[in-house]
Amino acid sequence: MRGMTYRTLLILIIAVGIGGCANQHTPYTDWSKKEQKLYKYQLALQVTDTMQTVRLIQCQETGTCPLAEANPIYGSSPSMQRLIAIKLVGNLLLYRLLTSDDTHRERNLKLANGGYTIIVSNNHIIINKAL
């Protein structure tokens, strides 16, 4: 996993993201245009958050990194394997929620996007202060 590139990780996240919502019960193409747009934002936020964590992992590998992961699920020094496993499980759970609740999909996407926007913004501020 040490040699995993940004491109490989991005492709993995996007493939799981697209594949996760394309199921027989609620195909992505049947979603409203607004839901599809919100979902694309969700993918972008997921990729950004993942890349921020990858940056942290790479920083910590130098041995002089002033940063620590704040998400207790990852632990203060996450590994690429742990990051990928948690992202996959988390995304699969989110997709399950999105495909099982047609009436609240838009609301759920807005909540998820709002939460991730806060996380990504906070990560950006902390990373820029430290590095």
Side-chain angles (χ1 to χ4, degrees), residues 64-98:
T64 60
C65 186
L67 299 171
E69 176 62 51
N71 186 334
I73 297 172
Y74 293 128
S76 61
S77 296
S79 66
M80 288 295 285
Q81 293 90 340
R82 187 167 180 85
L83 169 65
I84 292 168
I86 291 170
K87 282 292 184 181
L88 287 174
V89 169
N91 281 316
L92 289 173
L93 291 173
L94 176 63
Y95 304 143
R96 177 82 168 155
L97 172 69
L98 294 174

Side-chain angles (χ1 to χ4, degrees), residues 1 4-5 10-11 20 22 25 30-33 46 48-49 60 70 74 80 88 92 98 114-115 128 131:
M1 246 345 143
M4 180 173 278
T5 64
L10 286 172
I11 290 169
H25 301 293
D30 291 346
W31 292 10
S32 72
K33 293 295 180 193
Q46 285 282 343
T48 303
D49 179 57
Q60 288 181 341
Y74 293 128
M80 288 295 285
L88 287 174
L92 289 173
L98 294 174
N128 282 340
L131 304 178

Side-chain angles (χ1 to χ4, degrees), residues 1-128:
M1 246 345 143
R2 204 177 211 37
M4 180 173 278
T5 64
Y6 283 121
R7 181 178 292 166
T8 304
L9 189 57
L10 286 172
I11 290 169
L12 179 65
I13 293 167
I14 291 169
V16 169
I18 292 169
C21 277
N23 69 38
Q24 65 211 19
H25 301 293
T26 312
Y28 172 80
T29 55
D30 291 346
W31 292 10
S32 72
K33 293 295 180 193
K34 189 170 188 177
E35 290 168 343
Q36 290 179 10
K37 187 175 184 177
L38 287 167
Y39 181 69
K40 289 175 186 174
Y41 290 148
Q42 174 60 214
L43 283 177
L45 288 164
Q46 285 282 343
V47 168
T48 303
D49 179 57
T50 302
M51 298 319 299
Q52 288 173 331
T53 306
V54 168
R55 187 171 178 195
L56 168 81
I57 292 168
Q58 291 174 335
C59 177
Q60 288 181 341
E61 288 175 349
T62 67
T64 60
C65 186
L67 299 171
E69 176 62 51
N71 186 334
I73 297 172
Y74 293 128
S76 61
S77 296
S79 66
M80 288 295 285
Q81 293 90 340
R82 187 167 180 85
L83 169 65
I84 292 168
I86 291 170
K87 282 292 184 181
L88 287 174
V89 169
N91 281 316
L92 289 173
L93 291 173
L94 176 63
Y95 304 143
R96 177 82 168 155
L97 172 69
L98 294 174
T99 57
S100 67
D101 187 0
D102 294 352
T103 58
H104 295 106
R105 184 179 301 118
E106 183 179 327
R107 181 199 68 190
N108 292 337
L109 279 164
K110 286 179 180 179
L111 289 171
N113 288 353
Y116 265 104
T117 298
I118 292 167
I119 291 168
V120 166
S121 298
N122 186 55
N123 289 349
H124 184 73
I125 291 167
I126 291 171
I127 289 169
N128 282 340

